[in-house]
């Protein structure tokens, strides 16, 4: 079955604008290539959201080429064709024999591409903080004449500045988060099992809001009495009880943009202590919102 | 609010048995300490399943001590008290000032603990493949007299051998996966939006089966026509159509044990090609099951 490009969340011009900002940064650092391996950065620069980053993959931005080249596992190349704005000749699928191979892996394919592009003796940026020890060593060993520069967070700083279309999508994600919190308020009741409440909340995160479905599920944290003081813990099979305090953390997702939100619920009247914490947090948030400004 | 130990999936004796196998391996490699940083290995050795591994944390197994010491972010210490079999004095929460600090992080707390335990000139195992470049360098720099040994996958090989109680929990996870696939077969119908089908499938993965809820959600892959050939891609807002072929990948989870399953659905009669692939896959699975044996 031939795979065609699917619907895109952003127009091609938006991706080219993001790449122009990246290339400007590369010029300032005197780099001819940047190997992007952070999954979030790859999503930002191409639109790719498939969950294939548990095996080696990388987006190679060349200063001399309009579109970057995406090197990934061959079985994931169709998803890259479907999801990204890239021309399919810019998508290189490496063979399955490189998976689980102790000697050669997908990073070798990326290094081969850099060598074939004649960049073996140029400045090459890598995101060291997303790479394992052996991979950084491999880049240095196989590109001995190149100047390998740590560009950790370089793309992350660029993507901090959001376009109007990005903000629109983030608002869609936030509407999903709001809908999930409202659903939580309906289903968190004495006698309801935590797992059953989570099932309803997950349903809302997938169905979405205003006709826009969620595009992924981020892990949900739910801590209710007697473990309200714990963090990042999964729900349990306990039932909610009168007097329970419940902390809920979730995030609606649209095209890789997640709008995180935390809410505390109280079954019955909250304690004075909880009420004071609530007032302090609202005051703190208000003070923060008054202080922040564009730029 | 004081946090107490919660219900445990395994008895203490089972964890001590797993640790005995790890210590035997450490002895064979002449190690006095093993720093376990793989989240799966930490779950295996303690029962901890909270999702705090996005910041530094590590379980330090000392050959001379019955229980290991769990070093993690202070805000996550209550979850460790609640979820693990460890005595709370074996749980060290490092302060929030070490989060996002470019100079000192949670790995320094682990190294401090090794130094205070008098192991600065002994054999110390680390799982290099789960550590970033800078962290491995830090272990070498701050423990210059120690013999740092790469123990990547050492615990993973030990946890390949499953106890009866583990197999029981894996069967519970598999029952949840089965229930989710059966629910998928009910809701994958022409005219149904992919996101709405996913909502129902997620609900089943959380509610669980036979009174045993799922304890986490693993990402679901759903690729239906016209993108059946893609992998690891999220669902979309499209509706299922007559003649669609749908690939679904999911896994029920119990206490960190995930039973992964993939199924292909066909709305209407499958093509001859799909039928031949199905027959070949069933034959391949049968041949594999005939070949494998204990040991």
């Amino acid at each position: 079955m031939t795979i065609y490009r699917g619907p895109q969340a952003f127009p091609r011009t938006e991706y080219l604008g993001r790449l122009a900002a990246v290339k400007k940064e590369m010029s300032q650092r005197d780099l001819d290539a940047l190997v992007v391996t952070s999954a979030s950065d790859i999503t930002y620069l191409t639109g790719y959201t498939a969950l294939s980053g548990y095996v080696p993959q990388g987006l190679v931005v060349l200063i001399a080429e309009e579109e970057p080249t995406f090197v990934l596992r061959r079985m994931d190349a169709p998803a890259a064709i479907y999801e990204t704005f890239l021309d399919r000749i810019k998508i290189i699928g490496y063979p399955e024999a490189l998976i689980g191979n102790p000697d050669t892996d997908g990073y070798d394919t990326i290094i081969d591409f850099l060598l074939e592009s004649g960049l073996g003796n140029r400045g090459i940026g890598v995101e060291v903080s997303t790479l394992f020890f052996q991979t950084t060593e491999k880049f240095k060993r196989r590109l001995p004449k190149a100047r390998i520069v740590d560009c950790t967070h370089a793309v992350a700083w660029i993507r901090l500045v959001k376009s109007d279309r990005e903000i629109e999508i983030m608002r869609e994600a936030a509407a999903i988060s709001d809908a999930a919190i409202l659903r939580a308020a309906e289903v968190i009741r004495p006698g309801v099992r935590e797992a059953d409440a989570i099932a309803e909340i997950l349903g809302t995160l997938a169905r979405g809001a205003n006709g826009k479905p969620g595009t992924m599920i981020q892990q949900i944290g739910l801590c209710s009495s007697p473990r309200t003081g714990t963090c990042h813990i999964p729900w349990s099979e306990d039932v909610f009880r009168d007097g329970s305090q419940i902390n809920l953390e979730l995030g609606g997702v649209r095209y890789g943009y997640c709008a995180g939100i935390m809410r505390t619920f109280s079954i019955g009247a909250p304690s004075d202590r909880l009420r004071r914490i609530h007032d302090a947090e609202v005051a703190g948030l208000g003070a923060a919102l008054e202080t922040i400004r564009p730029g």
Side-chain angles (χ1 to χ4, degrees), chain A:
Chain A
M1 181 185 293
T2 308
I3 301 288
Y4 297 95
R5 181 175 298 154
Q8 305 273 300
F10 298 97
R12 175 183 176 83
T13 49
E14 173 132 358
Y15 288 114
L16 293 180
R18 297 176 188 180
L19 284 161
V22 170
K23 288 175 188 172
K24 188 177 165 198
E25 180 70 25
M26 288 167 64
S27 290
Q28 284 167 358
R29 299 185 189 209
D30 194 23
L31 302 176
D32 286 277
L34 176 66
V35 180
V36 178
T37 39
S38 144
S40 304
D41 292 345
I42 292 173
T43 299
Y44 179 71
L45 295 177
T46 67
Y48 186 75
T49 67
L51 297 167
S52 55
Y54 64 96
V55 294
Q57 63 184 28
L59 184 76
V60 186
V61 182
L62 298 186
I63 203 97
E65 303 230 350
E66 184 176 59
E67 291 187 12
T69 296
F70 194 5
V71 179
L72 76 173
R73 188 180 185 178
R74 189 171 290 160
M75 74 179 286
D76 293 309
I81 292 170
Y82 187 82
E83 286 201 311
T84 77
F85 82 100
L86 302 173
D87 190 287
R88 66 178 65 201
I89 65 161
K90 293 294 189 179
I91 295 164
I92 298 178
Y94 63 76
E96 195 66 17
L98 269 58
I99 299 292
N101 181 328
D103 303 317
T104 313
D105 65 19
Y107 295 114
D108 287 288
T109 310
I110 293 173
I111 294 166
D112 290 342
F113 174 75
L114 291 165
L115 289 168
E116 286 158 16
S117 301
L119 300 175
N121 60 351
R122 311 303 283 269
I124 297 172
V126 294
E127 297 175 319
V128 169
S129 82
T130 66
L131 298 176
F132 292 121
F133 184 81
Q134 301 94 325
T135 303
T136 308
E137 293 290 288
K138 181 184 292 203
F139 272 89
K140 292 179 182 168
R141 188 178 68 246
R142 291 204 50 208
L143 295 160
K145 294 181 183 167
R147 187 171 51 89
I148 305 289
V149 177
D150 182 4
C151 289
T152 297
H153 303 320
V155 177
W157 277 103
I158 290 167
R159 66 181 163 86
L160 273 184
V161 181
K162 294 304 185 196
S163 71
D164 290 346
R165 176 68 182 131
E166 281 185 290
I167 291 170
E168 193 179 320
I169 287 176
M170 290 161 77
R171 286 187 193 282
E172 292 171 3
I176 296 172
S177 305
D178 277 344
I181 291 290
L182 289 173
R183 185 71 185 130
E186 289 171 350
V187 297
I188 292 178
R189 295 259 174 267
V192 170
R193 205 171 55 146
E194 290 181 24
D196 296 327
I198 287 289
E200 295 299 318
I201 295 164
L202 286 166
T204 302
L205 289 169
R207 285 187 196 97
N210 309 319
K212 315 257 185 200
T215 62
M216 189 149 78
I217 297 298
Q218 283 289 350
Q219 292 298 340
I220 297 180
L222 182 140
C223 321
S224 77
S225 307
R227 59 189 160 277
T228 312
T230 63
C231 291
H232 303 120
I233 206 170
W235 61 89
S236 82
E237 56 198 274
D238 291 355
V239 297
F240 299 113
R241 295 173 300 189
D242 270 322
S244 288
Q245 181 188 324
I246 298 107
N247 291 336
L248 177 64
E249 181 171 14
L250 56 77
V253 183
R254 293 277 294 165
Y255 307 117
Y257 294 80
C258 179
I261 191 168
M262 289 188 72
R263 282 288 180 271
T264 300
F265 297 85
S266 188
I267 300 183
S271 66
D272 283 351
R273 180 164 173 271
L274 186 58
R275 208 179 275 281
R276 285 199 303 277
I277 293 173
H278 173 263
D279 291 345
E281 288 187 341
V282 169
L285 185 62
L289 287 173
E290 274 178 28
T291 308
I292 60 172
R293 58 186 195 283

